């Protein structure tokens, strides 16, 4: 997570040397979860921009040319909803 939560860099996906950079849409912040390892929390005021940012991260890590039943690595949405303060 770089640029104060405005950019996500995914490294070492399936052992690749390529760094995948995903820029968040305006008004969306990404932070690392303090309670769970390897979990990102995407937050923002507009639910459409927040959902599209999560989709951009997920689409950047699609497994191609491999059996997706065998290679389960990737980025998945575990839950979505409103965060109440």
């Amino acid at each position: 997570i770089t640029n104060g939560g405005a950019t996500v860099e995914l490294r070492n996906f399936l052992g690749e040397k390529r760094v995948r950079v995903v820029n968040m849409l305006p008004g969306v912040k990404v932070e690392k979860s303090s309670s769970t390892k390897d979990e990102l929390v995407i937050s923002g005021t507009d639910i459409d921009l927040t959902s599209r940012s999560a989709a951009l991260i997920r689409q950047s890590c699609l497994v191609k040319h491999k059996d997706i039943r065998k290679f389960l690595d990737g980025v998945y949405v575990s839950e979505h909803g409103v965060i109440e303060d």
Side-chain angles (χ1 to χ4, degrees):
I1 300 172
T2 57
N3 293 341
T7 304
V8 175
E9 292 183 354
L10 298 163
R11 300 175 184 268
N12 197 23
F13 178 67
L14 294 178
E16 296 176 346
K17 298 293 182 190
R18 181 176 157 230
V19 177
R20 299 162 195 261
V21 178
V22 179
N23 294 319
M24 296 293 104
L25 297 172
V28 178
K29 292 281 187 188
V30 178
E31 33 190 60
K32 210 173 201 183
S33 175
S34 59
S35 60
T36 307
K37 181 186 173 219
D38 295 335
E39 183 178 70
L40 298 175
V41 176
I42 303 172
S43 59
T45 55
D46 187 6
I47 193 162
D48 185 45
L49 293 176
T50 308
S51 299
R52 285 176 46 205
S53 296
L56 288 172
I57 295 173
R58 186 178 179 280
Q59 288 173 355
S60 70
C61 290
L62 288 178
V63 178
K64 303 213 174 35
H65 308 297
K66 296 202 183 338
D67 187 5
I68 59 171
R69 296 170 293 181
K70 177 94 173 165
F71 291 93
L72 297 175
D73 294 346
V75 176
Y76 299 99
V77 175
S78 62
E79 67 180 74
H80 64 279
V82 177
I83 300 174
E84 299 194 19
D85 292 331

